[in-house]
Amino acid sequence: MIDWNRFNWPKIIGVMHDIESLTNIPQCRMMSAHILEEATARCSDGQLKYVGDTEIGCDFIGCDGLRYESKSTQGLIKKKGPTTKKITLKNYYGKCLGEPEQTFDYMIAFDSTKNTVILADWDHCIENGDTEDAKYVTELDVNRCEVIAKDVNYVAIGFDAQQKYNDFVSSCIGKIVDEKEFVMMDDPSAIIKRVPLEGTLETFMMVA
Amino acid sequence: MKLIDDYLKQDDVNALNSLHIEYAKVHWIGAKSNPEKNALTKLVHSTKSYVKDPVLGATAWYNVRPVDPVWHNDILSYCDKYPINNLPEHTFIYYMRSPDSGGHLEFGGAGIKEDWRMDVTVEPIPNRLVYFDAFMTHRVAPYEGNRVSIGIVWWKITPDRYEEQKIDEYNVLERVWK
């Protein structure tokens, strides 16, 4: 059995807040999830091992031999109603193939607004699961979840993760001789209109 | 040519105005498809009663701010050549928005020296339906403001610029004209 009280939750939730700005950059979302998962494993008092880099649909192996998946969402636990916000269990990136094969035994779900962490087993996740476009999503019944950390008083380092990422990108590219800033031509030959595929008539009239 | 003013009931006008669909596309509405799918399909199906011969389905499209309103007929907008034995009967135009000025529908064509045109023009008045022989060459006169209309043609066979369409289907298709 994993003893959730042995986790350093103030540090884990602190990391989650330190890297929050990365979740606003689409290409960094995977990276921010990875950082949180690494932090969770390293703050687990040796009870979780991060395996997300080699396994699909499973982020940790526990010392109990069970598989754990991590998800984090702002406002996960809704103010009203017994269920959480929708959590994507599987994104098929194309045609949704329905209920996914079991890849974990428990889901560790972080609410970055309430600084609370809940635990749900696979059956619970699947019971409330449904297809949504190319995704298979679920809503957890909060009353059935085990609350493993609640209203955590977190300890953040307080760095600018977005700046760190930008610095990292720049350091990978190195110095460019005679690098020029982008300047739009006075009379661009092509004006690209972003016509939404679907929308209201008023929206279409604005862009058509 | 026939004009029908106050064509739709207010509820249907409201539903059409708040419709959330792909406005830049052509909508194929099979003659035996579900009229209640949305407000557009309901409008299109309502015009079928003005067509005498059996039909396969209709194309419906929105006209919003045409870049270069030129003389055209809608058969040749959809077909590389006339479907001689299966010509559509009418072009239907339903008006949703009238411009601040101009924008009348004109009938005529490109002449040798200059364009010729009939005296009759159609003012774009919201909730007006007009239908005329699909062969008739027409264009929109210059205008200022927002003018929105829906064009509808009922086809006996699939227009030749499209893959075969079915009588009981509703499909969203690409525009095949400029």
Side-chain angles (χ1 to χ4, degrees), chain B residues 46-114:
Chain B
S46 75
T47 61
K48 189 151 69 83
S49 57
Y50 304 108
V51 177
K52 289 176 192 153
D53 295 334
V55 283
L56 178 69
T59 50
W61 67 98
Y62 284 80
N63 300 303
V64 178
R65 220 168 290 131
V67 177
D68 182 20
V70 293
W71 293 116
H72 67 283
N73 76 42
D74 294 310
I75 302 175
L76 290 182
S77 295
Y78 285 98
C79 303
D80 289 326
K81 56 184 180 184
Y82 284 109
I84 296 298
N85 298 318
N86 294 291
L87 288 167
E89 292 172 41
H90 309 298
T91 286
F92 295 85
I93 307 282
Y94 174 79
Y95 293 104
M96 292 184 69
R97 299 275 193 289
S98 57
D100 300 333
S101 63
H104 285 220
L105 184 67
E106 300 177 329
F107 301 94
I112 296 169
K113 286 187 177 177
E114 58 183 22

Side-chain angles (χ1 to χ4, degrees), chain A residues 99-147:
Chain A
E99 188 179 310
E101 280 184 28
Q102 182 173 0
T103 53
F104 61 84
D105 299 296
Y106 285 94
M107 177 192 287
I108 305 168
F110 293 81
D111 183 328
S112 62
T113 307
K114 285 191 160 62
N115 300 322
T116 293
V117 190
I118 57 177
L119 191 73
D121 63 28
W122 170 264
D123 290 342
H124 181 178
C125 293
I126 289 299
E127 265 173 45
N128 298 337
D130 201 1
T131 56
E132 191 178 276
D133 298 326
K135 295 174 183 172
Y136 192 84
V137 300
T138 189
E139 289 174 326
L140 302 176
D141 181 343
V142 179
N143 297 325
R144 284 178 57 196
C145 295
E146 183 183 349
V147 179

Side-chain angles (χ1 to χ4, degrees), chain A residues 193 195-202 204-208, chain B residues 19-25 62 64-65 96-97 146 148:
Chain A
K193 288 182 179 176
V195 180
L197 278 178
E198 202 175 313
T200 62
L201 178 59
E202 301 306 321
F204 182 68
M205 284 165 63
M206 281 166 63
V207 295
Chain B
L19 194 55
H20 198 273
I21 55 166
E22 293 178 83
Y23 284 92
K25 301 287 179 79
Y62 284 80
V64 178
R65 220 168 290 131
M96 292 184 69
R97 299 275 193 289
N146 285 319
V148 180

